[in-house]
Amino acid sequence: YNKLTTLYENEKQPNKAIANLEASKKVHKRNAMHYQIGKACAEYNIQLKKGENCLLTYIKNHSAKDGVPKAWAYYRLAQIKKHQNKKEKALKYINLAIDNLPEIEVFGEEKEKILGLWLLSHKNAEAQKDWNTLLFLEKEAGLQKTWKINRLGF
């Protein structure tokens, strides 16, 4: 299943890759397959509801034998929410990823993208109102790290 999934991904056929992963999940009955399906959905911006459900199932049933830390599932959920333009939920999930594994650079990069979308989607007074909301959410989450918003031109 792994080789066929990789082939489909390399051939830019993500729907076939997901179908293959689902078949593998039925045969192997491993929780890790939920993560793999969710990852493919997030990376290719397809079947987002299925990806979200799989990732939530992965988190709910997570154990050490799954191999992939829950932080990566939170990261994939943040990607899905970003694709759905649900910026607050995307921020919530990326913060959970960062809280669990703060040393992973790609999590911080994803957060910068989410914050950039947040700021780009508003103008003047609305941007300031939402920026204040964002700062409040950050404070509520107890985040200690300052993100490099200035790289986005803001």
Side-chain angles (χ1 to χ4, degrees), residues 82-83 85 87 110-122 152 154:
K82 181 183 72 177
H83 293 317
N85 207 27
K87 294 177 270 314
E110 186 68 17
K111 183 169 183 172
E112 287 182 22
K113 291 175 189 174
I114 293 165
L115 293 174
L117 289 174
W118 182 293
L119 294 171
L120 286 173
S121 66
H122 297 87
L152 300 169
F154 297 101

Side-chain angles (χ1 to χ4, degrees), residues 53-138:
N53 290 337
C54 283
L55 290 165
L56 291 172
T57 298
Y58 178 77
I59 291 166
K60 179 181 171 190
N61 298 323
H62 186 267
S63 71
K65 69 180 181 177
D66 291 326
V68 177
K70 285 195 289 187
W72 284 95
Y74 293 132
Y75 167 70
R76 300 301 179 184
L77 282 165
Q79 288 179 311
I80 287 173
K81 292 303 175 186
K82 181 183 72 177
H83 293 317
Q84 294 171 332
N85 207 27
K86 295 180 179 176
K87 294 177 270 314
E88 280 189 36
K89 287 188 177 189
L91 185 61
K92 171 190 157 190
Y93 284 122
I94 200 61
N95 284 339
L96 285 169
I98 292 167
D99 287 346
N100 280 270
L101 288 173
E103 68 278 3
I104 304 295
E105 288 184 25
V106 72
F107 294 173
E109 293 166 6
E110 186 68 17
K111 183 169 183 172
E112 287 182 22
K113 291 175 189 174
I114 293 165
L115 293 174
L117 289 174
W118 182 293
L119 294 171
L120 286 173
S121 66
H122 297 87
K123 302 224 185 255
N124 301 330
E126 282 297 312
Q128 185 59 46
K129 176 184 161 200
D130 283 343
W131 182 248
N132 289 336
T133 302
L134 177 64
L135 293 175
F136 173 77
L137 292 171
E138 292 285 285

